[in-house]
Amino acid sequence: MEMKKIGVLGAGMMGSEIALCFAMNGYETVLTDVNQELANKGKEKQSAALDRRIAKGKMTEDQKEQILGRVSASGNVADMADCDLIVEAVLESLDIKTNAYKHMDMVCKPETIIASNTSSISITKLAAAVGPDRAFIGTHFNSPASIMKLVEVIPGLQTREETVDTVFEVLRSIGKEPVRVKDVVGFALNRMFHVFYLEACRLVEEGVCSVEDVDKICLYGLGHPMGIFKLIDQTGHDLNMNVDEILFSAYGERFRPSPQIQRLRDAGRLGRKSGAGFYEYNK
Ligand SMILES: NC(=O)c1ccc[n+]([C@@H]2O[C@H](COP(=O)([O-])OP(=O)(O)OC[C@H]3O[C@@H](n4cnc5c(N)ncnc54)[C@H](O)[C@@H]3O)[C@@H](O)[C@H]2O)c1
């Protein structure tokens, strides 16, 4: 199936970046949200992301205009009716997502593939909201999506193999490295990521080494581009804690939430976005 036009539902942090990935690679893209104003804000985020590239000498103003010229922002789901693929990136709520799928299922052409960017909800459960003929799959992009290459591709029970193949192909066409993952809680990346940082937290809680020294181990011993505490200050301790709780209830002890992260979350020290987490930041 040839992919020409891509829709993205939800113009927040992930949706605006996901739409940008497609527009940067020549696809006509429709970025939608609950109203025109929020959709426009998504496009403003894209513009700011491209300005950062221009400032680093990685892009010209002309290229930026061409990319943004491929994105139409809209507050109307029906504007995605003729899209070949729609990536949904609305809030992480079963009700909000399934209501949105029912609406898309009604207004979109029969061949439109719906892909969810959920981090924690079962793809099989989400797919139950659409009719039996609708192609549905999980595509879990990483943040920031226009930079990170990995996308976990998660077929649900009802997903056809041809949909998996088509989605792999379109993701490769935008320079991503898709990996196939089963529909299990946390998929693969979040299981690896959370178990790793929870152990890092335990090292600090047990007084084995400091936050700064754990980050040095990541940089100079493991070859990571960034220390784990710097990284989880970026993902945000509200989101970290939510996912820890989901993983803990699914898998038990190995994902027991860290009291340090809990304290930071309760104190509103959410990380970079709130100006402080494990580290202090200039607001
Ligand atoms: N934040 C991350 O690092 C990350 C990483 C991977 C996956 N995800 C997943 O991506 C999804 C989006 O997360 P985010 O961080 O971009 O959230 P966000 O809050 O930044 O954006 C969500 C957007 O969805 C819009 N929205 C809500 N209901 C809608 C509806 N019915 N129709 C259209 N738009 C609607 C909101 O107005 C908002 O603009 C979630 O499922 C999340 O779990 C997030």
Side-chain angles (χ1 to χ4, degrees), residues 9-15 32-34 38 88-92 96-97 100 117-119 140-143 239:
L9 184 76
M13 185 173 104
M14 292 303 292
T32 58
D33 207 296
V34 283
L38 286 169
E88 166 278 307
V90 305
L91 301 176
E92 189 72 346
I96 294 177
K97 285 186 190 289
N117 191 50
T118 181
S119 321
H140 186 225
F141 286 75
N142 268 282
S143 180
L239 182 70

mmCIF file of all heavy atoms in Angstrom, residues 9-15 32-34 38 88-92 96-97 100 117-119 140-143 239, ligand 1:
data_model
loop_
_atom_site.group_PDB
_atom_site.id
_atom_site.type_symbol
_atom_site.label_atom_id
_atom_site.label_comp_id
_atom_site.label_asym_id
_atom_site.label_seq_id
_atom_site.Cartn_x
_atom_site.Cartn_y
_atom_site.Cartn_z
ATOM 1 N N LEU A 9 -3.100 12.641 15.123
ATOM 2 C CA LEU A 9 -4.141 13.143 16.023
ATOM 3 C C LEU A 9 -3.513 13.462 17.374
ATOM 4 O O LEU A 9 -2.932 12.578 18.003
ATOM 5 C CB LEU A 9 -5.239 12.087 16.199
ATOM 6 C CG LEU A 9 -6.416 12.546 17.055
ATOM 7 C CD1 LEU A 9 -7.337 13.490 16.279
ATOM 8 C CD2 LEU A 9 -7.230 11.365 17.564
ATOM 9 N N GLY A 10 -3.638 14.711 17.821
ATOM 10 C CA GLY A 10 -3.004 15.151 19.072
ATOM 11 C C GLY A 10 -1.749 15.919 18.706
ATOM 12 O O GLY A 10 -0.771 15.334 18.229
ATOM 13 N N ALA A 11 -1.806 17.251 18.917
ATOM 14 C CA ALA A 11 -0.676 18.096 18.497
ATOM 15 C C ALA A 11 0.155 18.525 19.700
ATOM 16 O O ALA A 11 0.676 19.626 19.748
ATOM 17 C CB ALA A 11 -1.211 19.307 17.736
ATOM 18 N N GLY A 12 0.265 17.638 20.686
ATOM 19 C CA GLY A 12 1.059 17.937 21.879
ATOM 20 C C GLY A 12 2.533 17.654 21.640
ATOM 21 O O GLY A 12 3.019 17.714 20.498
ATOM 22 N N MET A 13 3.220 17.311 22.747
ATOM 23 C CA MET A 13 4.662 17.107 22.652
ATOM 24 C C MET A 13 5.015 16.016 21.630
ATOM 25 O O MET A 13 5.832 16.243 20.741
ATOM 26 C CB MET A 13 5.197 16.707 24.030
ATOM 27 C CG MET A 13 6.677 16.581 24.079
ATOM 28 S SD MET A 13 7.197 16.322 25.766
ATOM 29 C CE MET A 13 7.567 14.594 25.749
ATOM 30 N N MET A 14 4.371 14.849 21.717
ATOM 31 C CA MET A 14 4.717 13.750 20.816
ATOM 32 C C MET A 14 4.134 13.950 19.424
ATOM 33 O O MET A 14 4.817 13.768 18.427
ATOM 34 C CB MET A 14 4.222 12.409 21.391
ATOM 35 C CG MET A 14 4.917 11.946 22.632
ATOM 36 S SD MET A 14 6.701 11.781 22.448
ATOM 37 C CE MET A 14 6.864 10.412 21.335
ATOM 38 N N GLY A 15 2.849 14.337 19.363
ATOM 39 C CA GLY A 15 2.174 14.442 18.068
ATOM 40 C C GLY A 15 2.841 15.443 17.139
ATOM 41 O O GLY A 15 3.046 15.162 15.954
ATOM 42 N N THR A 32 -3.780 17.323 13.714
ATOM 43 C CA THR A 32 -5.075 17.748 14.274
ATOM 44 C C THR A 32 -5.085 17.686 15.800
ATOM 45 O O THR A 32 -4.347 16.912 16.421
ATOM 46 C CB THR A 32 -6.227 16.852 13.754
ATOM 47 O OG1 THR A 32 -5.935 15.518 14.102
ATOM 48 C CG2 THR A 32 -6.424 16.980 12.283
ATOM 49 N N ASP A 33 -5.947 18.522 16.381
ATOM 50 C CA ASP A 33 -6.151 18.476 17.834
ATOM 51 C C ASP A 33 -7.621 18.814 18.080
ATOM 52 O O ASP A 33 -8.388 18.914 17.118
ATOM 53 C CB ASP A 33 -5.181 19.464 18.534
ATOM 54 C CG ASP A 33 -4.872 19.024 19.966
ATOM 55 O OD1 ASP A 33 -5.809 18.993 20.792
ATOM 56 O OD2 ASP A 33 -3.703 18.701 20.262
ATOM 57 N N VAL A 34 -8.004 18.985 19.341
ATOM 58 C CA VAL A 34 -9.431 19.196 19.616
ATOM 59 C C VAL A 34 -9.964 20.497 19.024
ATOM 60 O O VAL A 34 -11.164 20.622 18.784
ATOM 61 C CB VAL A 34 -9.765 19.134 21.134
ATOM 62 C CG1 VAL A 34 -9.806 17.711 21.631
ATOM 63 C CG2 VAL A 34 -8.792 19.947 21.952
ATOM 64 N N LEU A 38 -5.241 24.703 19.296
ATOM 65 C CA LEU A 38 -4.264 23.722 19.791
ATOM 66 C C LEU A 38 -3.463 23.099 18.642
ATOM 67 O O LEU A 38 -2.272 22.818 18.784
ATOM 68 C CB LEU A 38 -4.963 22.635 20.611
ATOM 69 C CG LEU A 38 -5.419 23.090 22.002
ATOM 70 C CD1 LEU A 38 -6.335 22.053 22.643
ATOM 71 C CD2 LEU A 38 -4.210 23.346 22.902
ATOM 72 N N GLU A 88 -2.041 8.222 16.226
ATOM 73 C CA GLU A 88 -2.768 8.887 17.328
ATOM 74 C C GLU A 88 -1.809 9.138 18.480
ATOM 75 O O GLU A 88 -1.114 8.216 18.936
ATOM 76 C CB GLU A 88 -3.951 7.988 17.753
ATOM 77 C CG GLU A 88 -4.609 8.338 19.058
ATOM 78 C CD GLU A 88 -3.861 7.778 20.251
ATOM 79 O OE1 GLU A 88 -3.598 6.558 20.264
ATOM 80 O OE2 GLU A 88 -3.536 8.566 21.168
ATOM 81 N N ALA A 89 -1.752 10.407 18.930
ATOM 82 C CA ALA A 89 -0.890 10.760 20.076
ATOM 83 C C ALA A 89 -1.649 11.697 21.008
ATOM 84 O O ALA A 89 -1.187 12.786 21.334
ATOM 85 C CB ALA A 89 0.410 11.399 19.576
ATOM 86 N N VAL A 90 -2.870 11.278 21.402
ATOM 87 C CA VAL A 90 -3.650 12.082 22.362
ATOM 88 C C VAL A 90 -3.282 11.626 23.773
ATOM 89 O O VAL A 90 -2.421 10.766 23.967
ATOM 90 C CB VAL A 90 -5.179 11.982 22.095
ATOM 91 C CG1 VAL A 90 -5.510 12.369 20.662
ATOM 92 C CG2 VAL A 90 -5.728 10.604 22.408
ATOM 93 N N LEU A 91 -3.949 12.210 24.774
ATOM 94 C CA LEU A 91 -3.614 11.908 26.168
ATOM 95 C C LEU A 91 -3.706 10.406 26.452
ATOM 96 O O LEU A 91 -4.488 9.700 25.816
ATOM 97 C CB LEU A 91 -4.563 12.658 27.103
ATOM 98 C CG LEU A 91 -4.568 14.183 26.958
ATOM 99 C CD1 LEU A 91 -5.629 14.801 27.861
ATOM 100 C CD2 LEU A 91 -3.197 14.760 27.286
ATOM 101 N N GLU A 92 -2.938 9.957 27.437
ATOM 102 C CA GLU A 92 -2.886 8.527 27.761
ATOM 103 C C GLU A 92 -4.119 8.115 28.570
ATOM 104 O O GLU A 92 -4.060 7.914 29.792
ATOM 105 C CB GLU A 92 -1.584 8.253 28.544
ATOM 106 C CG GLU A 92 -1.257 6.786 28.776
ATOM 107 C CD GLU A 92 -0.814 6.037 27.527
ATOM 108 O OE1 GLU A 92 -0.989 6.540 26.410
ATOM 109 O OE2 GLU A 92 -0.303 4.920 27.689
ATOM 110 N N ILE A 96 -10.462 8.452 26.180
ATOM 111 C CA ILE A 96 -10.202 9.491 25.165
ATOM 112 C C ILE A 96 -9.742 8.833 23.869
ATOM 113 O O ILE A 96 -10.195 9.163 22.771
ATOM 114 C CB ILE A 96 -9.161 10.515 25.672
ATOM 115 C CG1 ILE A 96 -9.742 11.307 26.848
ATOM 116 C CG2 ILE A 96 -8.726 11.465 24.552
ATOM 117 C CD1 ILE A 96 -8.784 12.296 27.490
ATOM 118 N N LYS A 97 -8.841 7.853 23.998
ATOM 119 C CA LYS A 97 -8.299 7.219 22.788
ATOM 120 C C LYS A 97 -9.396 6.440 22.051
ATOM 121 O O LYS A 97 -9.557 6.585 20.836
ATOM 122 C CB LYS A 97 -7.135 6.295 23.149
ATOM 123 C CG LYS A 97 -5.841 7.069 23.499
ATOM 124 C CD LYS A 97 -4.677 6.103 23.704
ATOM 125 C CE LYS A 97 -3.435 6.741 24.287
ATOM 126 N NZ LYS A 97 -2.703 7.644 23.401
ATOM 127 N N ALA A 100 -11.825 8.589 20.241
ATOM 128 C CA ALA A 100 -11.200 9.165 19.042
ATOM 129 C C ALA A 100 -11.151 8.126 17.914
ATOM 130 O O ALA A 100 -11.419 8.449 16.753
ATOM 131 C CB ALA A 100 -9.790 9.661 19.381
ATOM 132 N N ASN A 117 0.189 5.704 19.568
ATOM 133 C CA ASN A 117 1.497 5.957 20.196
ATOM 134 C C ASN A 117 1.440 5.716 21.710
ATOM 135 O O ASN A 117 2.284 6.199 22.451
ATOM 136 C CB ASN A 117 1.907 7.413 19.914
ATOM 137 C CG ASN A 117 3.343 7.692 20.291
ATOM 138 O OD1 ASN A 117 4.244 6.952 19.904
ATOM 139 N ND2 ASN A 117 3.586 8.742 21.065
ATOM 140 N N THR A 118 0.440 4.955 22.157
ATOM 141 C CA THR A 118 0.317 4.719 23.604
ATOM 142 C C THR A 118 1.615 4.162 24.199
ATOM 143 O O THR A 118 2.333 3.406 23.545
ATOM 144 C CB THR A 118 -0.838 3.730 23.910
ATOM 145 O OG1 THR A 118 -0.919 3.564 25.326
ATOM 146 C CG2 THR A 118 -0.632 2.368 23.264
ATOM 147 N N SER A 119 1.884 4.544 25.477
ATOM 148 C CA SER A 119 3.059 3.989 26.155
ATOM 149 C C SER A 119 2.668 2.798 27.006
ATOM 150 O O SER A 119 3.522 1.991 27.368
ATOM 151 C CB SER A 119 3.687 5.003 27.106
ATOM 152 O OG SER A 119 3.676 6.270 26.603
ATOM 153 N N HIS A 140 5.171 2.985 18.860
ATOM 154 C CA HIS A 140 5.615 3.729 20.053
ATOM 155 C C HIS A 140 6.901 4.479 19.718
ATOM 156 O O HIS A 140 7.987 3.904 19.702
ATOM 157 C CB HIS A 140 5.820 2.744 21.216
ATOM 158 C CG HIS A 140 6.137 3.405 22.520
ATOM 159 N ND1 HIS A 140 7.133 2.961 23.353
ATOM 160 C CD2 HIS A 140 5.588 4.479 23.127
ATOM 161 C CE1 HIS A 140 7.177 3.741 24.419
ATOM 162 N NE2 HIS A 140 6.251 4.664 24.303
ATOM 163 N N PHE A 141 6.734 5.786 19.422
ATOM 164 C CA PHE A 141 7.891 6.640 19.109
ATOM 165 C C PHE A 141 8.563 7.036 20.416
ATOM 166 O O PHE A 141 7.944 7.050 21.475
ATOM 167 C CB PHE A 141 7.436 7.917 18.383
ATOM 168 C CG PHE A 141 7.026 7.719 16.946
ATOM 169 C CD1 PHE A 141 5.807 7.134 16.626
ATOM 170 C CD2 PHE A 141 7.846 8.143 15.910
ATOM 171 C CE1 PHE A 141 5.411 6.966 15.298
ATOM 172 C CE2 PHE A 141 7.471 7.981 14.582
ATOM 173 C CZ PHE A 141 6.255 7.394 14.274
ATOM 174 N N ASN A 142 9.825 7.407 20.307
ATOM 175 C CA ASN A 142 10.568 7.889 21.470
ATOM 176 C C ASN A 142 10.685 9.390 21.435
ATOM 177 O O ASN A 142 10.752 9.981 20.362
ATOM 178 C CB ASN A 142 11.988 7.327 21.411
ATOM 179 C CG ASN A 142 12.063 6.054 22.145
ATOM 180 O OD1 ASN A 142 12.110 6.056 23.356
ATOM 181 N ND2 ASN A 142 12.044 4.973 21.404
ATOM 182 N N SER A 143 10.788 9.976 22.592
ATOM 183 C CA SER A 143 10.894 11.436 22.668
ATOM 184 C C SER A 143 12.371 11.865 22.738
ATOM 185 O O SER A 143 13.140 11.250 23.479
ATOM 186 C CB SER A 143 10.152 11.896 23.924
ATOM 187 O OG SER A 143 10.227 13.275 24.043
ATOM 188 N N LEU A 239 5.611 11.527 34.950
ATOM 189 C CA LEU A 239 5.470 10.445 33.967
ATOM 190 C C LEU A 239 6.245 9.196 34.430
ATOM 191 O O LEU A 239 5.737 8.071 34.359
ATOM 192 C CB LEU A 239 5.990 10.922 32.602
ATOM 193 C CG LEU A 239 5.865 9.933 31.455
ATOM 194 C CD1 LEU A 239 4.406 9.758 31.064
ATOM 195 C CD2 LEU A 239 6.649 10.414 30.234
HETATM 196 N N1 LIG B 1 5.805 12.124 26.571
HETATM 197 C C1 LIG B 1 6.572 11.097 26.187
HETATM 198 O O1 LIG B 1 7.794 11.047 26.409
HETATM 199 C C2 LIG B 1 5.930 9.948 25.443
HETATM 200 C C3 LIG B 1 6.738 8.986 24.826
HETATM 201 C C4 LIG B 1 6.142 7.958 24.091
HETATM 202 C C5 LIG B 1 4.759 7.884 24.017
HETATM 203 N N2 LIG B 1 3.988 8.820 24.642
HETATM 204 C C6 LIG B 1 2.518 8.732 24.488
HETATM 205 O O2 LIG B 1 2.106 9.688 23.494
HETATM 206 C C7 LIG B 1 0.774 10.151 23.771
HETATM 207 C C8 LIG B 1 0.785 11.661 23.841
HETATM 208 O O3 LIG B 1 1.666 12.096 24.847
HETATM 209 P P1 LIG B 1 2.211 13.611 24.906
HETATM 210 O O4 LIG B 1 3.315 13.595 25.900
HETATM 211 O O5 LIG B 1 2.425 14.146 23.543
HETATM 212 O O6 LIG B 1 0.934 14.358 25.533
HETATM 213 P P2 LIG B 1 0.555 15.904 25.440
HETATM 214 O O7 LIG B 1 -0.279 16.172 26.649
HETATM 215 O O8 LIG B 1 1.752 16.748 25.194
HETATM 216 O O9 LIG B 1 -0.373 16.004 24.123
HETATM 217 C C9 LIG B 1 -1.620 15.399 24.007
HETATM 218 C C10 LIG B 1 -2.429 16.216 23.004
HETATM 219 O O10 LIG B 1 -3.620 15.494 22.694
HETATM 220 C C11 LIG B 1 -4.658 16.433 22.548
HETATM 221 N N3 LIG B 1 -5.942 15.757 22.660
HETATM 222 C C12 LIG B 1 -6.564 15.287 23.765
HETATM 223 N N4 LIG B 1 -7.730 14.698 23.426
HETATM 224 C C13 LIG B 1 -7.841 14.783 22.079
HETATM 225 C C14 LIG B 1 -8.800 14.362 21.142
HETATM 226 N N5 LIG B 1 -9.887 13.714 21.520
HETATM 227 N N6 LIG B 1 -8.583 14.634 19.835
HETATM 228 C C15 LIG B 1 -7.465 15.271 19.435
HETATM 229 N N7 LIG B 1 -6.507 15.686 20.281
HETATM 230 C C16 LIG B 1 -6.693 15.452 21.587
HETATM 231 C C17 LIG B 1 -4.397 17.466 23.635
HETATM 232 O O11 LIG B 1 -5.070 18.682 23.399
HETATM 233 C C18 LIG B 1 -2.875 17.591 23.547
HETATM 234 O O12 LIG B 1 -2.487 18.596 22.626
HETATM 235 C C19 LIG B 1 0.360 9.445 25.058
HETATM 236 O O13 LIG B 1 -0.364 8.280 24.730
HETATM 237 C C20 LIG B 1 1.692 9.083 25.716
HETATM 238 O O14 LIG B 1 1.591 7.973 26.582
HETATM 239 C C21 LIG B 1 4.527 9.860 25.340
#
